[in-house]
Amino acid sequence: MKKITDILIVFFVFSLCMQASAQTGEWPKLKAKKWFSKKEWLGGLQLKPHKSVDVQEFARQYHLNKTYWDKAFAFLKNQDLNKIEKGKYPIDGDNVFASVTTDSTKNFDKTNWESHRKYIDLQYVISGEEKIGIYPVAKATVTKEYDEKRDAANYSADGKLYSAGPGTFFIFFPSDAHRPNITPGGNKPDKKIVIKVRYAG
């Protein structure tokens, strides 16, 4: 009798865990990696995600807000990015929108670590090159508290720098402090698109 009771308790706890996981949209690591590697979510877009992308969090966010992400990737696929003009581009109201810039890259000390709460950043350098720093928010030191109007907080951190250029895009979630627009040398301008996708908490 005790064995049956123990089995029922284990089954009950397991069911609760599965229910909680389903409600938050959490994905097991192996399942997320398998789904991610198929790249069906790109919708035919011929760009690749950077190795720094949090695969589990992306799988969660994509399936919670699939329509938003499909529209973001479709925008990148259907636009002639080499000819797209500098400016703001609505994609889905306040849920998904893009900004194209052609600014000069900056010296490291002229850039800032930042993170966002309301939106996820998809950043892609169309032409030129820059360095982007990435570091977990949980390990960074806050230097400027979160400002809701800017949807940004700033930090001090010692993150790793990656090269960003044509062919590969980055995705930054609220848990990712990032430091974009760093010059690789010469402060040359690069053409860049940032797509903001509403975060599903």
Side-chain angles (χ1 to χ4, degrees):
M1 186 69 181
K2 185 178 184 301
K3 187 177 282 188
I4 294 173
T5 303
D6 290 344
I7 291 171
L8 288 173
I9 290 171
V10 169
F11 179 75
F12 178 70
V13 171
F14 177 77
S15 298
L16 285 178
C17 290
M18 291 298 289
Q19 231 178 1
S21 179
Q23 287 173 356
T24 58
E26 291 178 9
W27 276 59
K29 190 172 184 178
L30 289 177
K31 182 183 177 183
K33 285 180 71 175
K34 186 176 180 180
W35 168 81
F36 186 80
S37 65
K38 290 181 180 179
K39 297 184 179 178
E40 294 173 354
W41 46 271
L42 281 169
L45 175 66
Q46 296 302 303
L47 298 176
K48 62 180 182 180
H50 190 262
K51 62 182 180 180
S52 64
V53 174
D54 184 334
V55 174
Q56 278 181 281
E57 180 62 5
F58 176 63
R60 188 176 83 88
Q61 289 296 323
Y62 180 87
H63 287 89
L64 287 173
N65 277 334
K66 184 178 184 299
T67 300
Y68 298 167
W69 287 99
D70 286 347
K71 287 182 178 182
F73 291 125
F75 183 85
L76 287 173
K77 179 186 175 184
N78 298 329
Q79 295 292 322
D80 185 337
L81 297 178
N82 291 317
K83 293 182 179 179
I84 194 170
E85 297 289 333
K86 177 179 177 180
K88 308 283 186 181
Y89 293 84
I91 299 174
D92 184 354
D94 291 334
N95 298 313
V96 189
F97 50 93
S99 177
V100 177
T101 58
T102 54
D103 299 331
S104 295
T105 53
K106 302 174 182 177
N107 292 337
F108 184 84
D109 60 355
K110 299 295 183 183
T111 60
N112 294 295
W113 289 101
E114 63 183 23
S115 73
H116 315 291
R117 292 185 185 176
K118 297 178 183 177
Y119 293 95
I120 299 162
D121 272 11
L122 187 161
Q123 299 197 12
Y124 176 59
V125 174
I126 300 166
S127 62
E129 183 187 2
E130 68 179 57
K131 298 282 188 182
I132 297 179
I134 306 173
Y135 198 71
V137 163
K139 296 181 180 180
T141 301
V142 176
T143 57
K144 198 168 189 179
E145 293 291 341
Y146 177 74
D147 182 331
E148 189 170 358
K149 189 174 181 181
R150 295 189 306 124
D151 186 34
N154 297 115
Y155 305 87
S156 172
D158 293 314
K160 185 173 181 180
L161 299 184
Y162 296 96
S163 292
T168 302
F169 61 86
F170 291 73
I171 299 177
F172 304 118
F173 301 102
S175 58
D176 300 318
H178 48 285
R179 189 169 186 154
N181 307 122
I182 302 167
T183 182
N187 301 106
K188 296 177 182 178
D190 65 0
K191 185 177 185 181
K192 183 175 183 178
I193 183 168
V194 176
I195 299 181
K196 296 279 189 178
V197 180
R198 186 176 291 282
Y199 176 71

